[in-house]
Amino acid sequence: MNPMNAPMPEPPPRRVPEPPPRRVPDPPPRQVSEPPPQGPEPPSPPVPDLLPFGTSAVPARDKTAWLVAEVRRAIAEGRLTPGARLPPSRTLASALRLSRGAVTEAYRRLTEDGHVEGRGRRGTVVRAVPRTVPPPRASTPPPADPFAPATGEAVFDALRELPARIDLTPGRPDLTAFPRAAWLRATRAVLAELPTASLGYGDPRGEPALRTSLAHWLARTRGLLVHPDDLLVVSGAAQALSLLGPVLRADGIDQVAFEDPGSLGVRQHLRRTGFATPPVPVDHAGIRVDDLRATGARAVLLTPAHQFPTGVVTRGARRRALLRWASEGGLVLEDDYDAEHRYDRAPVPALRTLLADRVCYLGSASKLLAPALRLGWLVPPPHLRDALVEAKRFADLGNDVLAQHTFARLIDSGDLERHVRQSRTRHRRRRDAMIAALTRHLPHAVVHGAAAGLHLTLTLDTPVPDTDVAAAALARGVKVQPLSWHRVRPGPPGLVLGYAAVPATAIEEGVAGLGAALRDLA
């Protein structure tokens, strides 16, 4: 090839140097007066506001006991109200110059007493109620003699309205211990899963889910083998009695014999429903069946597991005699009062386990959880079931559907059983505190019914009427019920004292007030 005609080689690509990076001057430093907001953080409770005492007041010894006493005093005087959050143990220990162990131990003691409750990340909050006396309502002044003979139906309403520093009236569960977190979890689960169609009118007998859960619960706890279709969900024992009224009268029953002593409130309810209530004596073994026969009544209402107010458990021989009476045509209305609250004895079987055809069983969540739920159950004999379902249908078309499903979830999850176990431990401590206080301040009083329940009954060795003792105690800021309210026939004076809803320190103070009131009347 002619070199002259050969193609010229391409020159290598020219490399263009990159321009040097442009230097951007730094901005002038910004003057920051405060850090940018990161969102609100829950502040720790200020120690001076919640616990108004200084480090100079801390003693050299017994620092834990001192802190416990200071917190109790702050609660009693209303400086710490229910729901108030105590400072974290580390914060309080630093502020008071205590060891953290001393503060932790103080919180533990306050938790055992029922004054406070640990709620995980939410801290430790106050549960006890201040012992402040609310001012009386101007429109409804208290009666001149609040413990006059209890013949009026509004006597319990009047007693509830009376102010008192320490309320030892019976029949009150510890409402501060209501399992709010478990109930909320169950409610959320129900709302997430419940079909829309279930938000309409429910089954007047009660939701099938709850009746199934209750059947399992009664089998485990009371030995009752019932089919869910045997159960009727009601709004507590009061509605059960109201439904039974017309059904029993249609069956020819116009009298319901009643334990004496026995609950004044239940006796009033039976009379309001249209029944005569002939009294039948109760002794150390339970209701006296021979006296029951003498009344001629075809039905009787009993509290055989823990008789109110005496606390007597119906013994085996009386149970057999009672069942013989029922098998001859009688009907037993078994109010399973306080059956779950037992401390020093094994559970006794429900009467319905022995003679299902002649026993109508009544139960309620009022003492298990809270009266505000208005949840109860009725297991009637087969010959009364259809009539009671019809009465329930026309009474209210059935109970709250959401509450029924929530309660069923609480049973099935085991949360109800855990709550009952915790309640027993707390109630036992408070019962022991009341018995110890009675030994110190009323050594001559005789205590009845201590093995179970939420109350104690005292009989007093005094000629003074128990209504006068109750009035004198109320003047000292302590509210109790006289035993004579619950009697029809004459009997020794006495008092009925509830302990479940009262911390141990308040129980001690209340019983001391009772002792002082009795000495003033002697």
Side-chain angles (χ1 to χ4, degrees), residues 372-456:
L373 296 179
R374 307 313 306 139
L375 275 172
W377 43 93
L378 179 63
V379 188
H383 71 282
L384 298 178
R385 186 182 305 134
D386 291 344
L388 285 168
V389 172
E390 195 73 3
K392 174 66 174 174
R393 175 181 290 109
F394 287 104
D396 55 16
L397 297 178
N399 282 47
D400 180 338
V401 171
L402 291 177
Q404 290 184 68
H405 281 278
T406 301
F407 189 39
R409 177 73 63 135
L410 207 70
I411 295 173
D412 296 342
S413 67
D415 284 330
L416 180 61
E417 201 156 346
R418 281 187 287 274
H419 173 73
V420 171
R421 287 198 304 269
Q422 293 167 1
S423 296
R424 282 191 192 131
T425 302
R426 182 171 57 256
H427 294 158
R428 182 186 287 111
R429 286 199 302 265
R430 294 179 179 183
R431 179 209 59 177
D432 293 345
M434 178 168 278
I435 292 175
L438 289 169
T439 301
R440 286 190 290 272
H441 302 290
L442 285 89
H444 300 296
V446 180
V447 178
H448 307 269
L454 305 179
H455 72 276
L456 297 175

Side-chain angles (χ1 to χ4, degrees), residues 116-453:
V116 303
E117 177 182 21
R119 294 186 179 174
R121 293 184 176 181
R122 295 177 58 194
T124 302
V125 299
V126 175
R127 287 179 51 198
V129 178
R131 297 198 309 270
T132 54
V133 180
R137 296 182 182 179
S139 57
T140 55
D145 185 2
F147 294 102
T151 56
E153 292 183 354
V155 63
F156 293 109
D157 294 335
L159 183 60
R160 276 192 292 269
E161 291 292 325
L162 294 173
R165 288 183 300 106
I166 302 170
D167 191 346
L168 299 180
T169 52
R172 298 188 310 131
D174 185 3
L175 300 181
T176 64
F178 182 85
R180 293 173 184 258
W183 188 266
L184 183 59
R185 283 195 306 271
T187 302
R188 286 173 173 164
V190 166
L191 289 174
E193 300 172 6
L194 197 66
T196 302
S198 296
L199 296 176
Y201 290 106
D203 189 327
R205 298 174 298 172
E207 289 299 293
L210 178 55
R211 287 188 281 118
T212 300
S213 299
L214 281 173
H216 295 158
W217 169 263
L218 293 174
R220 289 198 310 271
T221 62
R222 302 300 296 127
L224 278 176
L225 300 180
V226 298
H227 191 274
D229 289 343
D230 296 334
L231 278 154
L232 180 65
V233 177
V234 294
S235 299
Q239 188 186 41
L241 295 177
S242 296
L243 297 175
L244 280 164
V247 172
L248 295 185
R249 285 198 302 273
D251 203 34
I253 296 176
D254 57 2
Q255 294 187 88
V256 177
F258 200 74
E259 299 166 316
D260 187 26
S263 169
L264 169 63
V266 177
R267 189 166 71 242
Q268 288 177 338
H269 198 101
L270 286 171
R271 289 177 176 174
R272 182 79 174 178
T273 311
F275 293 110
T277 55
V280 182
V282 172
D283 60 20
H284 66 283
I287 193 167
R288 289 163 55 174
V289 181
D290 289 343
D291 292 273
L292 171 60
R293 289 181 182 277
T295 66
R298 290 177 48 204
V300 61
L301 193 147
L302 303 175
T303 51
H306 186 250
Q307 199 272 338
F308 183 90
T310 66
V312 167
V313 177
T314 304
R315 295 187 181 178
R318 293 289 172 85
R319 284 172 170 255
R320 292 188 291 273
L322 185 64
L323 294 175
R324 282 195 298 271
W325 171 85
S327 65
E328 296 165 3
L331 178 68
V332 176
L333 307 181
E334 180 183 14
D335 183 352
D336 209 15
Y337 184 82
D338 276 350
E340 298 86 1
H341 304 292
R342 55 186 181 274
Y343 318 116
D344 302 328
R345 61 167 172 79
V348 293
L351 288 175
R352 196 183 187 280
T353 62
L354 306 175
L355 192 64
D357 289 347
R358 304 305 304 172
V359 177
C360 185
Y361 179 90
L362 291 72
S364 169
S366 295
K367 304 299 186 293
L368 275 177
L369 291 172
L373 296 179
R374 307 313 306 139
L375 275 172
W377 43 93
L378 179 63
V379 188
H383 71 282
L384 298 178
R385 186 182 305 134
D386 291 344
L388 285 168
V389 172
E390 195 73 3
K392 174 66 174 174
R393 175 181 290 109
F394 287 104
D396 55 16
L397 297 178
N399 282 47
D400 180 338
V401 171
L402 291 177
Q404 290 184 68
H405 281 278
T406 301
F407 189 39
R409 177 73 63 135
L410 207 70
I411 295 173
D412 296 342
S413 67
D415 284 330
L416 180 61
E417 201 156 346
R418 281 187 287 274
H419 173 73
V420 171
R421 287 198 304 269
Q422 293 167 1
S423 296
R424 282 191 192 131
T425 302
R426 182 171 57 256
H427 294 158
R428 182 186 287 111
R429 286 199 302 265
R430 294 179 179 183
R431 179 209 59 177
D432 293 345
M434 178 168 278
I435 292 175
L438 289 169
T439 301
R440 286 190 290 272
H441 302 290
L442 285 89
H444 300 296
V446 180
V447 178
H448 307 269

Side-chain angles (χ1 to χ4, degrees), residues 46-63:
V47 176
D49 290 344
L50 285 179
L51 301 176
F53 45 85
T55 57
S56 60
V58 180
R61 297 182 177 181
D62 297 329
K63 296 181 180 181

